[in-house]
Structures are given as structure tokens and as C-alpha cells.
Amino acid sequence: MPNAEAEVPPQQGDKKKKPEPFHLAEKIGEMVDYGYPLTMSFPRKDRELADELRRSMLAILRYSVEIDRRYFKKTTTQNMDVELAVLRKFVRLAASKDLHGGQVPAALDDAPV
């Protein structure tokens, strides 16, 4: 009969690895740095859309900080995924030429790339 306790391999020592930085948070920070000034240059009639874009970007940034700090990340990751889908819809709406009947250029048409 085999031993009731399985053999545990020896530990690799007491050296603790430093956790890697959360690279996604860095990329989200770059997105906010790029997108925030663009929303400030939206025309007055699209100010509400610009506000929603900024709120969404900041919410994603907040979720990235939560994910970096939490032990259980599933719910926060799901919330961030939903907010990212909302942000994508807002960006597509801001870039849509049909938003104002095609008479006025889209808010993101004049954005520097």
C-alpha cells in the first residue's frame, strides 16, 4: 500500500520573487493620456459624449488598480470587461459620420493620430 502522504518536493529556498508590474495598467494609463485631451477638443454639441468617454476611461483605470491590488480578481475583471465594451461603443459612436446625419464631421474626425 502506498504511503498515505504524498512526498512533497523540497522548497526552492526562501527567496521571494518580486511580483511583476501590472502591464495592463500601464497601457490603460497610456490610453487615458492619449484619449483625455482628444475628448477636451470635442465640439460643444458632443460634450455629453466626451464626458461619457472620459468617465469610461477613468472607470477602466480604476478597475485596473483594483485588479492589481485584489487577491480575487474575477468580479473586477468582469466589470472591467463590460466597461471596455461600453468604451468601444462610445468610441465608435464618436467616430461615426452618421451621428449628426452626415452634415457635420464626426467628433473624432479631426483627431491627430
Side-chain angles (χ1 to χ4, degrees), residues 38-80:
L38 286 178
T39 60
M40 299 305 279
S41 64
F42 273 33
R44 181 176 293 244
K45 65 184 176 345
D46 293 324
R47 202 46 78 175
E48 185 176 351
L49 179 59
D51 292 341
E52 287 297 324
L53 280 164
R54 283 192 295 271
R55 279 189 207 104
S56 187
M57 284 190 290
L58 294 177
I60 291 173
L61 184 64
R62 178 180 302 276
Y63 285 133
S64 72
V65 171
E66 282 186 40
I67 288 171
D68 192 29
R69 298 293 179 185
R70 285 189 184 228
Y71 183 72
F72 297 109
K73 303 170 181 352
K74 183 179 177 185
T75 305
T76 309
T77 305
Q78 289 171 340
N79 292 342
M80 184 175 166

